[in-house]
Amino acid sequence: MPADRPMIAARDLSHVALDSRARLLKEVGLTVERGERVGIVGPSGSGKTTLGFHLGGLHPWALEGTSTGSLVLGGRECIQEGRKGFAGLVLQNPENQIFCDRVEDEVAFGLREGARGAGLEGLLERTGLAAFRDRDPATLSLGWKQRLSIAGMLAIGPEVLLLDEPTNHLDAPGAGELFRFLAETGDRKGITTLVIDHDETRLRAWATRLVRIEDGTVAADGPPGTVPGGEPLPDMKPQAAPGEILLSIQSMTFAYERQRPLFRGFDLDLREGEIVALLGPNGAGKSTLLRLAKGLLQPSRGSVRTCAGRPLMEEVGLVFQNPDEQIFALTVEEECAFLPRNQGLPEPAARAAACDTLERLGLGHLRDRLPFSLSYGEKRRLTLASVLVGNPRILCLDEPTAALDRPNLALLARMMRDHAEAGGAILFATHDQAFARSLATRSVPLAGAP
């Protein structure tokens, strides 16, 4: 490709989704030069991921719908056929792109045969995966799976690296290290890097340019300092004093590997009116603790029980970290109506409850959509709605802020505060320290197995 041509050039780029005929992109014009570090931001459902798939030449395989306009990638018109191998893509859900049964093999898969020595060791060290090289990726936390998928894409040596919400499942040190690694790698190898993320603080420190997408169009484009950001969340802690104990964990021991217990003699009481944040690095056991609270896992010693004596499966609502593990219905409304229907509500009442809950979470206009066609942030809100509709008194949320923009973060915070003030209790795992400070009544740090 001649040096004077941009790496990516889009003109009048539009995309219409097949399932809803919605225009997800609308006459987008954008050029990206070789070696640029571009952050793509915007509200949930604004078209960020759809745009990213086009800029990486992956749209014919990743999207169902019709794309029009002009899209030149590496000097070649690609609006219809796309361009395989042009970009390395790191998906929002890392489990969708990991297939080897050993971490080292997953990273080595994309390396040329002659580069598997120093090249492999360098990638494992830089991404912090060297200590896990012999592990089965299925045993890793979602945050470590995210790092593994990034290492696997870097191994193929792409001209463009596209990362979709890469910090969703990373702790603060891991997210900071990721952006330092992307900066060093991109500068050294001349890789054009595109990152779609809601973590604007880190994006602004890393990117040479910020592109804001709103309603399928480019609303702002320029150096990070010229693109306005959002206001931080205010203090939204519930005001009522904690009441009776709703969930009690006593002297609990749990281990995936017998010699390395994740919890040993662990105690935690969750009271009415509390919002308790679980903090800690990737692999500390936050997701495991939430599954124990729900009754999906059983401790080897000790107890996890509701003080009302009701079964955990009935009294505790759990929203998974990965929404794709929780979604199964053919429409958004059917997804949300499933729980009240199975709780015995008549069909009209179940549908009315579902529609009301979807409206509360800003999803009413999507009730006829296929859930798997939603953006990642919309899926997160849908899984929350499908649990809230059952009115659980105890609510467990696993990384609830992942992939949410500022308006939806504020919506989530208000919902959590209202749930606690109405006599419920919330236990949530998060890497978002600012969100925890603004909302949690207390925090519980977890360190994981020694």
Side-chain angles (χ1 to χ4, degrees):
M1 185 185 74
D4 59 341
R5 290 186 184 177
M7 178 63 71
I8 300 168
R11 187 177 70 254
D12 296 327
L13 175 62
S14 298
H15 180 80
V16 177
L18 181 64
D19 66 327
S20 65
R21 308 306 299 169
R23 294 184 72 205
L24 303 183
L25 295 179
K26 304 171 184 177
E27 290 86 38
V28 170
L30 195 66
T31 60
V32 180
E33 304 295 336
R34 180 183 294 276
E36 277 198 281
R37 304 197 301 243
V38 181
I40 302 175
V41 299
S44 296
S46 61
K48 301 186 301 297
T49 297
T50 301
L51 176 63
F53 281 142
H54 282 83
L55 300 183
L58 300 157
H59 52 289
W61 304 281
L63 303 171
E64 289 190 332
T66 302
S67 298
T68 57
S70 174
L71 179 64
V72 178
L73 305 176
R76 182 192 307 173
E77 177 60 65
C78 299
I79 189 62
Q80 297 302 326
E81 69 272 16
R83 188 166 180 182
K84 290 183 178 179
F86 177 71
L89 171 66
V90 179
L91 297 167
Q92 288 181 346
N93 179 5
E95 293 175 336
N96 289 343
Q97 64 185 105
I98 295 173
F99 55 90
C100 291
D101 58 8
R102 189 164 168 264
V103 165
E104 181 176 310
D105 294 337
E106 184 71 33
V107 178
F109 184 82
L111 289 168
R112 296 186 302 275
E113 193 64 37
R116 293 197 176 186
L120 174 60
E121 293 302 322
L123 279 172
L124 290 172
E125 288 295 335
R126 286 175 177 272
T127 53
L129 290 163
F132 303 105
R133 64 190 312 146
D134 294 320
R135 286 271 295 273
D136 183 342
T139 67
L140 300 179
S141 71
L142 208 54
W144 282 108
K145 289 176 182 175
Q146 187 79 289
R147 293 196 196 194
L148 179 56
S149 62
I150 291 168
M153 285 297 101
L154 286 171
I156 68 176
E159 290 187 276
V160 172
L161 184 63
L162 170 64
L163 299 94
D164 196 358
E165 302 282 0
T167 64
N168 273 352
H169 311 297
L170 295 180
D171 52 30
E177 180 59 35
L178 167 65
F179 278 115
R180 285 192 294 273
F181 178 60
L182 291 177
E184 292 169 4
T185 303
D187 291 348
R188 187 174 66 252
K189 297 187 176 182
I191 297 175
T192 302
T193 310
L194 312 174
V195 176
I196 302 166
D197 212 314
H198 288 299
D199 188 348
E200 289 195 26
T201 300
R202 287 192 176 87
L203 273 187
R204 288 174 183 275
W206 166 82
T208 57
R209 175 180 171 193
L210 215 58
V211 176
R212 185 174 299 281
I213 304 298
E214 293 181 5
D215 194 26
T217 64
V218 176
D221 180 5
T226 68
V227 177
E231 294 296 321
L233 286 174
D235 190 326
M236 300 185 75
K237 292 180 174 66
Q239 299 303 309
E244 65 181 35
I245 296 174
L246 299 184
L247 180 73
S248 182
I249 301 174
Q250 296 181 349
S251 303
M252 182 190 70
T253 296
F254 177 85
Y256 291 108
E257 303 172 66
R258 184 175 298 176
Q259 293 77 21
R260 299 178 71 247
L262 197 54
F263 297 99
R264 189 198 304 268
F266 182 83
D267 296 307
L268 176 67
D269 287 334
L270 185 63
R271 294 178 175 274
E272 179 184 86
E274 282 196 307
I275 299 177
V276 178
L278 298 175
L279 306 177
N282 291 126
K286 300 185 296 298
S287 297
T288 297
L289 183 57
L290 294 180
R291 289 172 185 256
L292 285 159
K294 174 64 177 174
L296 297 178
L297 297 173
Q298 300 298 320
S300 57
R301 292 180 184 175
S303 64
V304 182
R305 62 184 180 86
T306 63
C307 291
R310 288 170 53 82
L312 294 171
M313 293 296 291
E314 295 179 11
E315 192 78 352
V316 179
L318 171 62
V319 180
F320 291 169
Q321 186 176 18
N322 180 0
D324 289 333
E325 292 180 355
Q326 204 160 342
I327 290 172
F328 59 90
L330 294 178
T331 69
V332 167
E333 183 178 315
E334 286 294 324
E335 185 75 37
C336 198
F338 178 82
L339 181 55
R341 187 184 294 127
N342 281 273
Q343 288 175 328
L345 259 64
E347 184 65 20
R351 288 191 174 275
C355 289
D356 178 65
T357 307
L358 291 171
E359 287 292 341
R360 285 172 55 203
L361 289 173
L363 296 170
H365 64 295
L366 300 174
R367 62 177 179 269
D368 295 325
R369 285 275 296 275
L370 177 69
F372 285 101
S373 73
L374 302 180
S375 73
Y376 196 81
E378 289 166 342
K379 289 178 186 177
R380 295 304 306 260
R381 284 185 282 152
L382 174 57
T383 55
L384 177 59
S386 68
V387 170
L388 278 177
V389 72
N391 296 311
R393 196 165 183 199
I394 302 163
L395 189 58
C396 292
L397 308 175
D398 200 349
E399 296 291 350
T401 67
L404 295 187
D405 54 22
R406 288 180 185 274
N408 281 306
L409 282 177
L411 178 67
L412 172 68
R414 286 194 297 271
M415 181 281 300
M416 292 171 67
R417 183 194 59 194
D418 292 347
H419 183 85
E421 290 183 341
I426 297 174
L427 186 65
F428 74 106
T430 187
H431 292 306
D432 191 333
Q433 299 272 355
F435 187 82
R437 284 193 300 270
S438 72
L439 190 67
T441 54
R442 62 186 171 104
S443 297
V444 175
L446 301 180

